[in-house]
Structures are given as C-alpha cells and as structure tokens.
Amino acid sequence: MRKIINIALLFFVLTSCSISYKFSGASIDYNLTKTLQLSTFVNQAPLVYPPLESRFNEALKDMFTRNTRLQFVNQNGDMEIEGEIVGYELTPLAVQEDAFAAETRLTMNVRMRFRNNKIPGQDKEETISANRTFSSNVNLTDVQDQLIEELNKEIVDQIFNTTMANW
C-alpha cells in the first residue's frame, strides 16, 4: 500500500510541476525572426501638432517592446515597419439650426508598410485611421492631448495586430 502511495505521490509531483506557456500577444518563432527595424513615422499631415509625431513613435515602439522579444535594429531587420502620419484633421459635424457645429471630429490617418524579410509573401501596406469626436463648445487645445493618446493607442494596436496577425 505504501508503495502505491509513493508512486501516486511521485506521479502527482511530476505532473503538477510541469511548465506551460500561453501567449496572449504575438507568438513569434524567435529562432527564425530576431530583429525589427522600426523606422520613425514622420508627420506629413497638413494640420501640424508638434508632439504628435514623437508620441506616436514612442507608443509604437513601446507596443513592440512590451509584446515581443524582438531586438530593434537600424537597418536590415528580419521584419521592417515604416510609414508616415498622412492625416490629422478636424471635421465639423452635426450642424445645428444656427449653422454652428455641435460636435467636431478629430481624425488621424497613418500609412504603414510592413515587410517580412524572413518569410516572403507577408508584406502589407495599408492606411489605418482612427477618430474621436468632441463638443464644439470645447477648444481643441483643451482636449487634444487626451484625444491624441486615444488615437495613438487605437492605431498602434491596429498596426501591431496587422503586422503580427500571421504569427
């Protein structure tokens, strides 16, 4: 009886101590893909907000740093992501009876190009957009920082998901 208990205990110890991994982000084959070339996305939009470019680029770099183990390189990366901010614009919405807009939409468009130098055929190029509305009674300068943070998060999530979708 004692032998059966010892065997059962040994089986329990061996099976309960196994290591298991589950990826909720990107699951990249790091034996094949080790480096990422992430170029600066330059602001080419007609409406210029100086902090937009740096905040966007930092958010994008942070997303890949937190969710992958890829090493950033300046050239010849296994994967390359580049692009530009092509749109940052205000649009009046919902015109009232007195011909004033009740809301304004802030839209941001980013053109993104992805190239996988290790696995051909996975290259992508697309324009990603996000927008937020705010009351026209509020000045853009009062809400711009918060809106930029929300727009950046949405677009960076889309870029990450688009580029890592095949992994």
Side-chain angles (χ1 to χ4, degrees):
M1 180 70 164
R2 186 176 182 158
K3 188 175 184 179
I4 293 174
I5 293 173
N6 286 341
I7 292 173
L9 183 59
L10 180 62
F11 178 75
F12 176 76
V13 169
L14 291 176
T15 58
S16 65
C17 294
S18 64
I19 299 172
S20 175
Y21 294 100
K22 182 177 179 184
F23 295 97
S24 58
S27 56
I28 298 170
D29 181 0
Y30 291 107
N31 294 319
L32 177 65
T33 306
K34 298 177 183 188
T35 60
L36 172 64
Q37 179 181 335
L38 186 59
S39 300
T40 299
F41 281 58
V42 179
N43 188 356
Q44 302 290 335
L47 179 61
V48 176
Y49 179 56
L52 177 64
E53 182 179 317
S54 63
R55 287 185 184 174
F56 177 78
N57 285 300
E58 285 302 314
L60 188 60
K61 186 174 183 179
D62 186 53
M63 174 63 90
F64 282 92
T65 300
R66 283 185 291 116
N67 293 297
T68 70
R69 294 184 318 197
L70 296 172
Q71 178 183 357
F72 290 96
V73 295
N74 293 328
Q75 57 186 359
N76 301 324
D78 296 336
M79 294 190 312
E80 299 175 26
I81 300 174
E82 62 182 6
E84 53 274 341
I85 300 168
V86 294
Y88 182 71
E89 53 208 27
L90 294 169
T91 308
L93 300 173
V95 177
Q96 298 174 343
E97 296 172 10
D98 56 4
F100 289 104
E103 290 184 321
T104 303
R105 175 181 291 150
L106 179 63
T107 304
M108 183 173 163
N109 301 309
V110 175
R111 186 176 308 129
M112 181 270 310
R113 290 173 295 283
F114 169 76
R115 185 174 23 262
N116 188 334
N117 294 322
K118 292 292 183 178
I119 303 173
Q122 290 187 348
D123 300 350
K124 298 178 188 220
E125 182 172 342
E126 64 183 80
T127 300
I128 299 172
S129 298
N131 64 67
R132 294 291 182 272
T133 58
F134 62 97
S135 172
S136 294
N137 296 331
V138 177
N139 288 327
L140 176 61
T141 55
D142 295 336
V143 295
Q144 190 163 223
D145 287 334
Q146 176 189 347
L147 296 176
I148 291 299
E149 187 176 322
E150 293 173 15
L151 294 172
N152 281 343
K153 182 180 179 347
E154 184 175 333
I155 291 175
V156 165
D157 283 348
Q158 289 182 46
I159 290 173
F160 183 81
N161 292 333
T162 297
T163 57
M164 298 294 136
N166 293 327
W167 298 99

